[in-house]
């Protein structure tokens, strides 16, 4: 198994951006421009590395290589985005890797692009990229090409050697468990379980009961062997179940109208462990959007619009509005699900104002809401 934190350190230490490696300060998948840039790099890396993995590291300053981290990002929908736009799409994996110097809510993202012998190209246009465009890597750049891309084996020995140098060890596994249990989460009753005498999963959270059922909030779940953060959310709650072969995380989101005890199952992640040292992550989307009285939602929708307009004009909110702004992202999301088509775009355009708002929790709510909307876009058709 590869220690992903060590792999990232090897990439940063020994390689500038090149034909098998790119780095980004952050990903912006809320806009067509951001999606187009991401897809361009995936297409180019895949075409330039048909025989070996290639990588994008997210959360690193481009010029200084400083590890600054990015928000925890849910991997499970990115493959759907790639499949939607690329023909002969490569298989990709997005993993969240914690680093000791980063805050608990920040990680480094590692995008792994699996080898694909077929040429990838855009099957439909997005932003300024027309359909049928093919990209390849030239040094550190992803550039369009009309030439046939030859099968290139140049990077295979380099990448294989780098991955072998990042293999996990017993010492690294033990250090990871001790740090999680004794230092970083010692005040949250951390737990661990060993699967198949090989895999170690650690988790911690704040236990609470809602309507008679036990949930964990502010949950941190960590696959120690590969240094992967499996789940983190500042707002949502989860239940955890496990047996000898699997570890199951069921995520819930509070989406009542000003009622934080109304929980809706969002997604279930099941990690299956096998005797041969292999594991598999399965994801099942569970969400069923709540429906509310339209007359009541019209009132809420107009109230949220009024708050957004005041933020745009830099006007002072009333006491009631200052309280309601915390729920603005989820209220607009509920309105969107109930037929208010403009609500989602209004929320996206309000991002800079919510980001600058004096209470940072408001922007956290915005990011969590956009995460749910992103999931639904590719799962509910």
């Amino acid at each position: 198994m590869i220690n992903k934190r060590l792999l990232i350190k090897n990439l940063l230490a020994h390689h500038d951006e090149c034909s098998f490696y790119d780095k980004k300060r952050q990903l912006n998948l809320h806009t067509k421009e951001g999606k187009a840039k991401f897809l361009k790099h995936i297409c180019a890396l895949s075409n330039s590395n048909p025989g070996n993995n290639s990588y994008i590291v997210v959360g690193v300053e481009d010029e200084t290589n400083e590890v600054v981290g990015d928000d925890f990002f849910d991997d499970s929908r990115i493959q759907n985005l790639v499949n939607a736009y690329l023909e002969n799409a490569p298989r990709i994996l997005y993993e969240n890797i914690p680093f000791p110097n980063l805050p608990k809510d920040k990680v480094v993202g590692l995008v792994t692009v699996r080898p694909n012998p077929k040429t990838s190209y855009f099957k439909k246009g997005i932003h300024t990229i027309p359909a049928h465009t093919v990209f390849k890597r030239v040094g550190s750049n992803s550039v369009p090409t009309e030439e046939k891309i030859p099968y290139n084996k140049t990077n295979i020995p380099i990448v294989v050697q780098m991955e072998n140098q990042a293999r996990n060890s017993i010492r690294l596994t033990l250090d990871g468990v001790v740090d999680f249990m004794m230092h970083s989460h010692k005040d949250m009753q951390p737990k661990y379980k060993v699967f198949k005498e090989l895999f170690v999963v650690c988790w911690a959270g704040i236990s609470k009961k809602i309507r008679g059922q036990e949930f964990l909030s502010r949950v941190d779940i960590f696959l120690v062997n590969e240094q992967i953060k499996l789940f983190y959310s500042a707002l949502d709650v989860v239940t955890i179940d496990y047996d000898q072969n699997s570890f199951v995380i069921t995520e819930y989101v509070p989406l009542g109208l000003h009622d934080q005890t109304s929980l809706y199952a969002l997604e279930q992640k099941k990690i299956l462990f096998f005797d041969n040292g292999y594991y598999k992550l399965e994801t099942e989307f569970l969400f069923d959007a709540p429906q509310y009285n339209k007359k009541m939602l019209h009132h809420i929708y107009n109230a949220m619009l009024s708050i957004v307009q005041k933020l745009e004009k830099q006007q002072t909110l009333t006491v009631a509005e200052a309280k309601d702004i915390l729920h603005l992202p989820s209220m607009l999301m509920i309105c969107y699900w109930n037929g208010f088509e403009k609500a989602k775009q209004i929320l996206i355009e309000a991002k800079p104002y919510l980001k600058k708002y004096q209470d940072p929790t408001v922007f956290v709510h915005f990011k969590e809401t956009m995460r749910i909307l992103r999931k639904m876009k590719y799962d509910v058709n």
Side-chain angles (χ1 to χ4, degrees):
M1 284 176 283
I2 295 178
N3 184 303
K4 300 301 173 60
R5 185 190 296 170
L6 189 55
L7 176 60
I8 291 172
K9 289 181 177 179
N10 289 344
L11 285 166
L12 296 179
H14 301 296
H15 299 279
D16 291 327
E17 290 176 303
C18 59
S19 56
F20 64 83
Y21 160 57
D22 197 14
K23 59 186 174 184
K24 299 293 175 191
R25 174 62 184 83
Q26 61 182 12
L27 294 182
N28 177 14
L29 300 183
H30 296 321
T31 66
K32 287 187 177 180
E33 180 182 5
K35 291 175 183 176
K37 288 181 178 179
F38 175 71
L39 291 165
K40 175 182 71 174
H41 293 309
I42 294 295
C43 181
L45 287 167
S46 179
N47 288 335
S48 300
N49 297 276
N52 58 268
N53 290 332
S54 49
Y55 298 98
I56 302 174
V57 178
V58 183
V60 177
E61 292 287 1
D62 191 35
E63 294 184 0
T64 64
N65 255 14
E66 179 186 1
V67 175
V68 293
D70 198 7
D71 294 328
F72 182 94
F73 195 89
D74 197 320
D75 145 70
S76 57
R77 300 303 165 271
I78 296 185
Q79 183 69 59
N80 294 348
L81 172 65
V82 173
N83 292 343
Y85 283 94
L86 296 185
E87 190 68 38
N88 299 327
R91 188 165 64 90
I92 69 168
L93 182 66
Y94 190 108
E95 296 169 311
N96 297 277
I97 316 302
F99 271 66
N101 62 307
L102 296 177
K104 185 179 177 182
D105 61 337
K106 297 293 181 181
V107 293
V108 175
L110 179 65
V111 182
T112 302
V113 184
R114 303 296 192 193
N116 179 20
K118 296 182 179 180
T119 299
S120 297
Y121 62 91
F122 280 76
K123 59 186 176 183
K124 60 181 180 180
I126 179 173
H127 192 52
T128 60
I129 302 175
H132 307 298
T133 304
V134 178
F135 284 90
K136 67 177 181 179
R137 294 287 285 187
V138 177
S140 61
N141 298 313
S142 299
V143 298
T145 181
E146 295 183 358
E147 301 175 357
K148 182 177 175 62
I149 301 176
Y151 191 95
N152 189 348
K153 298 182 179 180
T154 304
N155 291 329
I156 294 177
I158 302 172
V159 174
V160 169
Q161 181 183 20
M162 184 181 60
E163 291 173 342
N164 285 336
Q165 291 173 345
R167 293 290 172 186
N168 199 40
S169 67
I170 294 176
R171 180 183 66 82
L172 290 172
T173 299
L174 290 175
D175 286 348
V177 174
V178 171
D179 178 71
F180 191 98
M181 301 293 293
M182 303 300 294
H183 302 294
S184 59
H185 298 81
K186 63 181 180 180
D187 58 339
M188 298 178 70
Q189 297 183 327
K191 298 179 181 179
Y192 76 93
K193 181 168 176 60
V194 180
F195 296 88
K196 301 298 182 181
E197 300 182 347
L198 179 62
F199 301 95
V200 185
V201 177
C202 294
W203 69 96
I206 300 173
S207 177
K208 60 180 180 180
K209 284 194 174 183
I210 300 176
R211 297 179 180 177
Q213 185 175 1
E214 185 173 4
F215 296 88
L216 292 177
S217 63
R218 305 193 68 83
V219 180
D220 199 354
I221 303 173
F222 187 41
L223 178 59
V224 180
N225 307 69
E226 297 194 359
Q227 296 288 304
I228 298 171
K229 189 187 285 281
L230 295 172
F231 183 87
Y232 178 81
S233 173
L235 298 176
D236 298 345
V237 296
V238 306
T239 57
I240 291 176
D241 300 284
Y242 56 86
D243 55 28
Q244 296 302 312
N245 303 307
S246 64
F247 188 88
V248 182
I249 309 159
T250 306
E251 178 185 3
Y252 296 79
V253 289
L255 286 177
L257 295 177
H258 304 298
D259 172 19
Q260 296 301 295
T261 66
S262 294
L263 298 176
Y264 293 81
L266 177 64
E267 188 174 66
Q268 186 176 90
K269 292 184 178 179
K270 179 182 291 186
I271 311 163
L272 302 171
F273 300 99
F274 302 94
D275 293 322
N276 60 358
Y278 172 72
Y279 73 91
K280 180 172 67 172
L281 180 62
E282 295 180 346
T283 302
E284 181 182 0
F285 195 68
L286 305 174
F287 192 66
D288 186 15
Q291 302 296 307
Y292 292 100
N293 179 276
K294 288 291 180 67
K295 187 175 180 179
M296 177 179 62
L297 286 181
H298 269 290
H299 174 72
I300 292 173
Y301 182 66
N302 290 331
M304 296 303 107
L305 286 184
S306 176
I307 293 175
V308 171
Q309 290 167 0
K310 281 192 171 183
L311 292 175
E312 292 174 348
K313 297 175 182 178
Q314 298 183 335
Q315 297 176 347
T316 302
L317 302 182
T318 66
V319 174
E321 289 170 336
K323 183 178 180 181
D324 286 342
I325 192 174
L326 192 64
H327 305 285
L328 184 145
S330 59
M331 293 298 101
L332 285 178
M333 177 170 61
I334 289 172
C335 289
Y336 174 69
W337 290 331
N338 284 264
F340 294 77
E341 296 294 334
K342 295 182 180 179
K344 179 180 176 181
Q345 189 59 35
I346 290 170
L347 177 60
I348 292 172
E349 292 174 356
K351 176 182 177 180
Y353 312 113
L354 300 176
K355 190 172 185 178
K356 292 189 299 183
Y357 193 71
Q358 57 194 11
D359 182 355
T361 308
V362 171
F363 190 59
V364 173
H365 278 265
F366 168 83
K367 291 188 291 186
E368 292 289 304
T369 299
M370 293 307 301
R371 180 171 66 91
I372 298 170
L373 287 169
R374 188 170 60 247
K375 286 175 182 285
M376 290 197 69
K377 179 174 181 180
Y378 294 107
D379 280 278
V380 180
N381 296 308

